[in-house]
Amino acid sequence: MPPGGVVMLRNVAVVLVNGFLPFEFGTICEVFGVDRADDGLPSYDFAVVAGEPPPLRATLDFTISPACGLERLAEADLIALPAVGDDRLGLNAGRPAGSPAFPEDLLEALRQAMSRGAKVLSVCSGAFILGEAGLLDDRRCTTHWRHAAELARRYPAAKVDPDVLYVDDDPVITSAGTAAGIDACLYLVRKEQGSRVANGIARRMVVPPHRDGGQAQYVVQPVAPFCDGSLRDLLEWLRGHLDQTLTVRQLAARANMSERTFARRFVQDTGTPPQRWLTGQRILLAQQLLEESDETVDAIADRAGFGNATALRHHFRAWCDTTPNAYRRLFRGDGHREIPD
């Protein structure tokens, strides 16, 4: 939890415009709009906002009339923008020269919200709305790989990475396709409210609690929890044995594959090489222990499979851009006593 135990993510608004994609809209609603207080999880003050005069038409040819207008964005901690269809982006019929794709009052409301400290998050082609508002200028960002080149062409000041699932260039978070939008939402929950909350939401949604944003978008097979056969069983086994020293040769043997076949299959199924996946899982375990236990950094390093505190600090800084103790202070708040290394 953030310093002093203050929850920094209470008020969430999702903005709809004509041509929105229903499923991507639904994923944001599922993460932030469902009351899970019965599971001991925080509830969000959640609102659907009309980014243009309603009724607003979805790509599946139905309409919705949100009760809230753009004034609702003035109080939001997070503003989420679901994907919009190709027609709305002008990718099918072409976009008329000099004609804005989105209304200026929406773009200005987004600028003002971010200037006062709100975070903005886009799913898939929702990044184009942020680009139109100038909020991607000089920032790393991503979108669905099909649209990455066009996003970079229209907004040349944006630093578009087409190969990742999501990018956090605080306070702007952008994500790739549908599942990556869920990943980005859960990542933000974890960052702001800790692993217990993010894992609890993921458990209710029956989705992976975390995928590293640096994973490739081009995953041939479904992601790890839905792998078939030997790799699915292996990944479950690995999560329970992260404290062990494990080599690709050992893992390939356990999966009854050659090392080359195993390495190729692993990337196909998870989007990342075996050792990087292992490191990511170990970092997740270390984060959870730092948030929820009073164990020393040395003890956590041992339990998470890093061997010693020096190795944990090295990997933790590379993955999280902070130290284990600084992370612990961030999530546990100033009221907790310092846990020695």
Side-chain angles (χ1 to χ4, degrees):
M1 188 171 290
V6 177
V7 177
M8 304 299 291
L9 186 60
R10 294 192 186 96
N11 194 307
V12 179
V14 56
V15 179
L16 294 184
V17 297
N18 282 301
F20 72 92
L21 272 61
F23 195 85
E24 284 76 359
F25 166 54
T27 60
I28 298 170
C29 294
E30 181 68 21
V31 175
F32 296 109
V34 176
D35 186 351
R36 299 183 175 92
D38 57 335
D39 281 347
L41 299 172
S43 297
Y44 303 99
D45 185 354
F46 182 79
V48 180
V49 171
E52 297 176 305
L56 301 170
R57 187 166 296 280
T59 54
L60 295 184
D61 201 25
F62 67 86
T63 61
I64 184 171
S65 295
C68 298
L70 291 174
E71 68 280 355
R72 177 63 174 75
L73 302 187
E75 60 189 80
D77 303 317
L78 170 68
I79 299 169
L81 300 160
V84 291
D86 287 0
D87 285 343
R88 182 60 196 268
L89 295 176
L91 297 180
N92 290 336
R95 176 179 164 191
S99 173
F102 307 102
E104 180 57 33
D105 58 347
L106 166 60
L107 304 181
E108 181 59 24
L110 292 172
R111 296 184 199 109
Q112 291 182 8
M114 205 171 88
S115 68
R116 65 167 174 79
K119 296 182 184 294
V120 292
L121 181 151
S122 66
V123 178
C124 193
S125 55
F128 283 80
I129 303 176
L130 297 179
E132 200 73 32
L135 300 183
L136 299 183
D137 291 357
D138 299 318
R139 295 185 183 277
R140 288 188 63 240
C141 59
T142 194
T143 188
H144 194 288
W145 58 267
R146 290 179 59 246
H147 299 319
E150 181 63 16
L151 186 71
R153 187 191 69 79
R154 289 193 186 183
Y155 313 110
K159 303 172 183 176
V160 181
D161 186 341
D163 298 324
V164 296
L165 296 181
Y166 55 88
V167 173
D168 178 6
D169 196 329
D170 194 33
V172 177
I173 299 169
T174 52
S175 62
T178 304
I182 298 174
D183 294 328
C185 289
L186 291 175
Y187 160 80
L188 179 59
V189 171
R190 181 183 184 86
K191 178 182 178 182
E192 296 294 327
Q193 298 176 294
S195 61
R196 185 190 69 82
V197 177
N199 291 349
I201 294 173
R203 190 176 302 114
R204 280 281 294 265
M205 292 177 64
V206 196
V207 297
H210 177 81
R211 283 198 295 167
D212 170 32
Q215 287 187 27
Q217 290 190 32
Y218 308 92
V219 181
V220 178
Q221 300 289 338
V223 296
F226 308 111
C227 291
D228 295 329
S230 57
L231 278 194
R232 179 191 60 201
D233 295 339
L234 175 66
L235 293 175
E236 288 302 315
W237 181 87
L238 283 173
R239 290 189 181 95
H241 296 81
L242 294 174
D243 58 329
Q244 297 185 14
T245 301
L246 300 164
T247 66
V248 172
R249 175 176 294 182
Q250 291 171 317
L251 299 180
R254 190 173 185 90
N256 296 315
M257 299 179 189
S258 69
E259 289 185 52
R260 179 175 297 180
T261 298
F262 172 78
R264 182 177 66 251
R265 173 73 184 278
F266 199 98
V267 172
Q268 288 176 339
D269 281 11
T270 70
T272 191
Q275 289 300 337
R276 180 174 174 81
W277 186 91
L278 269 174
T279 301
Q281 294 297 309
R282 286 169 170 153
I283 290 290
L284 280 174
L285 177 57
Q287 287 176 317
Q288 182 178 351
L289 294 171
L290 288 165
E291 293 171 27
E292 300 176 1
S293 80
D294 288 339
E295 295 189 44
T296 66
V297 173
D298 270 315
I300 290 173
D302 185 62
R303 284 188 59 183
F306 289 104
N308 57 68
T310 300
L312 171 58
R313 291 189 192 98
H314 168 77
H315 288 288
F316 206 89
R317 182 172 288 282
W319 281 69
C320 305
D321 197 29
T322 190
T323 65
N325 258 331
Y327 182 89
R328 172 173 260 160
R329 286 193 298 270
L330 176 67
F331 278 90
R332 291 170 66 93
D334 295 333
H336 288 78
R337 65 183 179 89
E338 181 80 6
I339 308 299
D341 286 356

